[in-house]
Every structure is written in C-alpha cells, then in structure tokens.
Amino acid sequence: MGEQRSSIDALAVRSGPWLARTATAAERNTTAVVAGPFDRVVWREVYEQSAGLRELAAELGSRHAHTDDLLTDVFLAAYQAAPRLREATAMAPSRLVNHQVVTSLVRSPDFAGLHRETAGDAYAAALAVLAQSSVLRGLLERSRDARDRAGQAEAARQNAVAAATAVSEAVRRAADEAGTDGTVPAPAADAVRRAIQAGEAAEATARQETRAAAQALAAALPGIRAAARNATASAAEAVRQEAALMRAWGVGAGELERMPFDERARLAERLRSGRLARWAELIGRFRQMAGGERARKVENATGELVGVTLGDDLSRVVPSELAVLGLPALRAVFAARYAAGELMLYDSRGEQTTGQGAVIACVDTSHSMYAEGPGGITREAWSKACALALLDQARHAGRDFVGILFSAADKIRVFRFPGDRPAGVTEVLDFVETFLGGGTDFQRPLGTAAALLEEEFDDTARRRGDIVLITDDACEVTEQWVRGWNDAKRRLGFRLFGVAITGPDATGTGSVLEALCDNLRTIDDLTDVHATADLFRVI
C-alpha cells in the first residue's frame, strides 16, 4: 500500500480556527483605562517625581504581580477628564482583578466628588492614589486567590497561543512539502494533526482555568466593591482636606497647577505640619468674613451729620461757602481758603473713606502672644490670621501690603508684598511662621510703618495709608516720638487702627493705645473673627 497523503486544502480547513487564534492573540490589554501617549507621559513624570508613589509601587510589587498596571489605572481614572474603561473581554486574564478594582473605584458613590478635585491635576490624582494605599494593600491580600487563579488562566492562555502558533508552523511546513497536486506527505500531515490535538488540549485547559478564575473573581467581587468604596471615600476626603488647606492659606487652584510637583509636595507637607496645620481653620474663617465685609463696603459714606469742621473736601462744603463763588471779587478768597484747607465743611460720623496708600499690619510677636485662648487658639494665631485677611484686603484693592513683626526695640522683621504682583506663598508662610519673642516696643514698628508710607508718598504721591497695630500689651512712648508721629500723620494722612488682644487696662481712657489710635477695639474672644468686621469695611 502506498504512503497515505492528505490534501493541503483539507489541512487548511481544519487548522483555520487555530490560525485565527494566532492572529488575535496579541489583542489583550494589560491596563483597564484607555489612555493616550500624553496621559502615560504625565503618569511617568509624576511617578518619577513622587517618592511616595515609587515606595508604594516597590512595596506592592514585592508581594503581588501586575501592581504597576493597577497603580497606573488608579491614577489615570482620577486624572483623566472622562476616564473610559475597556471591556473585561479585552483584558489579559491576569489583569481582570485589576480591571474589576478600577471599575469598582469609578462606580463608587464618592468617585464623582473625588474626580472634581483631581481631573486634570496630576498632583491631586497622585495624592488620591497614595490616600488609597492602605485599602489597596488589604484588597490585594484579600483577592490573592483570584489573582493567582487569573495568573494561571493567563499562563494557560499563553500555552494555547503557543499551541496555535505551533499549528500555524506545522501547516506552513506541510505547505512547503506539498506536491504540485496539493497533496501532503503523511509525516507532515500527521505533524499538523498532532499540533491541532495539542492545541485542543491547551485550549481546553485554558477554558477550564478561565472558568476557575472567573469563579474566584466572582467570590472576591463583594469584598473588592466594599474596599473600593472605602478607598474612594478616604481618597476624596484626603484630597478635599488638602484643597481646603490650600484655599485657607490663599493658594489658588491656578497657582497650584503651575507649581512643580516636588515644590507642591513640600508646600503641602509644610502646611500639614506644626502650627500652620492648627491655624488653617481660623485663617479660612477670617478670610471668609473679610470677603463678606468687602461686599458690604462703602467707599464714601457721609454718615450722620454732627457739626461743621474745616477742610478741603468739596463734596462736604456748606452752601454759604459755595455762595461766594457767585461774586467774582471773592473767588480768589475761596481759592486761598481751599488751598489752606480752611473751607467750612459738614462734619459727619459714620464710615470713613477707604485708604489709598499701603496697608501695613504691625503684629506683636512678644512672648506673651504665645498665650492660648478658647479653643486652643493662641494670640499669635489670631493676630496672624487677621493680618492675612488684611493682605487679601490690600490685594483686592490693588494696594501694597507690608507685614511688620515686632517685639522688643531691637527685634523687628519687615515683609513687603507689592500690590502689582501676586503674593508668593513661600513668602507668606515665612511671614506667618516667624516669631521673634522678647518684650514689647511700639515706637520702632510704628516709626518703620510711617517711614514706609513716606517712602511710598515720595515715589507715587499716594497718601492715606492704613496701619493696623495688633498687640496684647501696652508700652510707653516718648513725647518727642509722639510729636514726630503726629507730624507724619498730618503730612501723609494715614490712619492707625488698634486691635488689643488683652484686658481693658491697655485700652482705657488715657492709655497709650487710646491716645495713638484713630480706631481701637478690644478682643477678648479669640474664636470670634467677627470682632474686627468693621475693620474690613473701612480699610
């Protein structure tokens, strides 16, 4: 009997499905979130800049497989404006648990709130990943069986792909050995049949492992969903807290987005630690109150008429003064009296006109300012929160702001924030964190403030600056200094507002503060930011 031969066409028909498997084997994905090159570049840059992400990846990777892909997905889901997830059928079996984790995160009730804070913000998205780290650790441990089963299914699928490749190779060799009539020698045909049998066995194993992996994933699914809800809730809270912290300190979203990752991370750590973290709520309340007062602010209110005074404000000239303008012979007299500031004006009591020159906050940082009041708020915290609200006030009006920290006569620090450029957050924090200690002296800080207003007047001809003295003490000033101070006030037209965080002795009749200040109030409740509300209406 001659050698049995098979038709190449028959072999091709039988092996056709295996050739199709070979063609589609490489289409499975390892990440659940659809992402373009730009998104992946952003992730790599954030990963390289964040020591926390790298440490988390190293820790998880030492215990579990494919955690790099999981962290990538969690980041991209938070970062992308409209994250789109692949179908589970498009995923490599070994990544199906990752896919379910990310799907559960995106579908969690708190994800929408988290996403509002993180979309388009790489730093916030990285923070969300880190905030979910503890939940991810537990989730990976609890889903270990499902992940192991998924890994076995992946290996079985790879074996099936290899078997399909072997079928393709056997068919190619058979085609090379086929005769001109299309018949294939028996050994080559047998090789194809054996390859197909091996492929069928590998395919059966792959289906079995896939079913086992699906069952393990179904068993783990309730735990994955519960953990995902917890992870999203904790991440949303962490991101909201940091955003609120930044807002309380006056750091805008636009400024944060332009800030390099490592600089922003250092800033966040600085704000979360030490005294600054405890002050954030107070600062936020001050700024909110000051903003509300700005909305009620009256620029030029006449107030209650209480008499007649002398001056050069033509809007308050009494009618009898204006009557002389009808007589040509008296117009020169009117002009002379106007130039000398001796016109008769209606005097009023009420809101004063707002200033035009710089706003200067002189903040006492003597030892006694460390004293703690209600709610654990220190005098220092209260005074600097008030000063930051004054900085906002000056910024809103386009005025320069100067913070003068003082204690004893030889201890003073001056921080200048020009009104024509943004206040750098680092400089603001340096101003807030500085504490000098020591005794209390008024002459040097107030003299420095007056000198700065004179310098501003010489440079820009601006008058009517505002000085706010915040202190918990009283001290003596010399008569000579007072004369110079009063001369400067008349020349520059500035006002001195006093905020005394102390008892009535320092602010009573005849006290230094009462004599120096145009507007003085006593603060005895450090939790009450509204005690200075009127200050923000008239500055």
Side-chain angles (χ1 to χ4, degrees):
M1 180 182 294
E3 186 182 48
Q4 184 177 0
R5 305 173 74 85
S6 298
S7 165
I8 186 65
D9 293 335
L11 292 177
V13 170
R14 186 174 180 186
S15 62
W18 295 95
L19 300 179
R21 287 188 182 91
T22 303
T24 60
E27 295 180 2
R28 301 297 179 94
N29 295 282
T30 59
T31 54
V33 180
V34 178
F38 175 78
D39 290 335
R40 296 191 178 279
V41 168
V42 171
W43 162 245
R44 294 311 307 176
E45 288 179 347
V46 168
Y47 182 84
E48 291 300 325
Q49 293 171 9
S50 172
L53 286 177
R54 295 195 302 274
E55 291 170 3
L56 177 62
E59 176 194 346
L60 297 182
S62 66
R63 301 177 183 177
H64 308 280
H66 315 307
T67 54
D68 284 348
D69 291 330
L70 176 61
L71 294 181
T72 302
D73 280 332
V74 174
F75 172 83
L76 292 176
Y79 175 73
Q80 290 182 343
R84 184 164 57 92
L85 303 185
R86 293 187 170 91
E87 296 294 332
T89 54
M91 299 297 297
S94 60
R95 308 308 199 278
L96 284 174
V97 175
N98 288 0
H99 182 275
Q100 188 57 59
V101 169
V102 178
T103 300
S104 299
L105 290 174
V106 171
R107 292 178 181 174
S108 295
D110 290 299
F111 182 78
L114 170 66
H115 193 245
R116 281 194 294 271
E117 301 287 350
T118 60
D121 187 336
Y123 175 87
L127 176 62
V129 175
L130 293 173
Q132 298 173 86
S133 59
S134 61
V135 179
L136 291 176
R137 291 186 190 97
L139 190 152
L140 289 172
E141 288 295 335
R142 288 191 295 273
S143 64
R144 184 181 289 276
D145 181 61
R147 298 176 72 84
D148 290 344
R149 286 289 188 176
Q152 295 169 16
E154 176 74 5
R157 190 182 76 86
Q158 293 296 335
N159 289 338
V161 171
T165 302
V167 171
S168 178
E169 182 62 23
V171 170
R172 186 190 63 77
R173 287 196 298 268
D176 290 342
E177 297 179 20
T180 57
D181 59 352
T183 58
V184 178
D190 288 342
V192 172
R193 282 189 286 271
R194 287 194 299 274
I196 291 174
Q197 290 171 356
E200 288 173 344
E203 183 68 21
T205 301
R207 286 195 297 269
Q208 181 181 353
E209 292 293 344
T210 298
R211 284 194 297 272
Q215 292 170 356
L217 179 58
L221 191 55
I224 290 175
R225 288 173 176 167
R229 285 194 296 271
N230 292 335
T232 307
S234 62
E237 181 62 20
V239 172
R240 278 195 295 267
Q241 286 182 355
E242 181 155 314
L245 186 65
M246 294 294 181
R247 285 193 295 270
W249 285 97
V251 185
E255 183 178 359
L256 287 175
E257 291 176 5
R258 294 189 298 271
M259 195 177 293
F261 184 94
D262 54 349
E263 181 181 343
R264 184 168 172 181
R266 288 194 300 272
L267 172 62
E269 180 61 28
R270 186 177 181 183
L271 293 181
R272 283 194 295 263
S273 60
R275 296 180 297 158
L276 300 186
R278 298 194 301 271
W279 296 358
E281 181 183 356
L282 178 65
I283 290 168
R285 285 195 286 133
F286 250 109
R287 283 183 149 143
Q288 185 177 19
M289 179 273 295
E293 293 303 323
R294 276 198 297 274
R296 302 172 53 198
K297 190 171 184 179
V298 180
E299 295 293 336
N300 289 284
T302 302
E304 178 187 0
L305 295 179
V306 294
V308 176
T309 186
L310 298 179
D312 60 1
D313 186 350
L314 295 179
S315 66
R316 296 189 289 133
V317 173
V318 300
S320 59
E321 291 279 21
L322 295 175
V324 302
L325 292 176
L327 301 173
L330 295 179
R331 289 175 185 171
V333 175
F334 180 92
R337 293 180 61 198
Y338 171 69
E342 295 178 350
L343 294 175
M344 287 191 296
L345 312 177
Y346 284 122
D347 196 8
S348 63
R349 179 173 57 205
E351 302 284 2
Q352 302 179 53
T353 55
T354 57
Q356 296 175 341
V359 176
I360 302 179
C362 296
V363 180
D364 187 349
T365 61
S366 59
H367 282 312
S368 58
M369 293 293 284
Y370 260 137
E372 194 170 281
I377 299 172
T378 64
R379 296 173 179 181
E380 180 199 12
W382 194 96
S383 63
K384 288 180 177 176
C386 182
L388 287 184
L390 289 169
L391 169 59
D392 287 350
Q393 192 83 352
R395 184 74 51 213
H396 186 267
R399 300 167 68 182
D400 292 349
F401 176 81
V402 181
I404 299 178
L405 305 181
F406 71 93
S407 58
D410 60 339
K411 293 184 177 182
I412 189 169
R413 286 283 304 276
V414 178
F415 296 82
R416 306 185 69 163
F417 300 92
D420 59 356
R421 60 176 179 267
V425 64
T426 301
E427 291 77 11
V428 170
L429 293 181
D430 288 342
F431 166 62
V432 173
E433 287 185 311
T434 299
F435 191 86
L436 302 178
T440 305
D441 173 78
F442 289 166
Q443 291 186 184
R444 188 172 180 198
L446 292 178
T448 300
L452 289 171
L453 291 177
E454 183 141 23
E455 176 185 321
E456 181 183 42
F457 175 74
D458 291 340
D459 290 343
T460 65
R462 287 199 195 102
R463 299 174 73 249
R464 292 171 49 212
D466 290 312
I467 302 172
V468 181
L469 175 64
I470 308 175
T471 182
D472 71 339
D473 205 350
C475 67
E476 297 300 320
V477 293
T478 67
E479 292 185 10
Q480 181 180 359
W481 182 88
V482 170
R483 285 195 294 272
W485 170 260
N486 290 333
D487 287 343
K489 281 191 70 175
R490 283 192 295 270
R491 184 168 64 258
L492 302 172
F494 62 77
R495 297 174 295 179
L496 176 62
F497 296 84
V499 180
I501 311 175
T502 183
D505 292 344
T507 58
T509 302
S511 68
V512 172
L513 286 176
E514 195 270 341
L516 290 177
C517 296
D518 302 293
N519 184 313
L520 177 63
R521 79 272 339 272
T522 300
I523 305 299
D524 54 15
D525 182 0
L526 299 182
T527 64
D528 182 13
V529 300
H530 296 280
T532 55
D534 64 314
L535 192 65
F536 297 93
R537 283 200 301 273
V538 297
I539 289 183

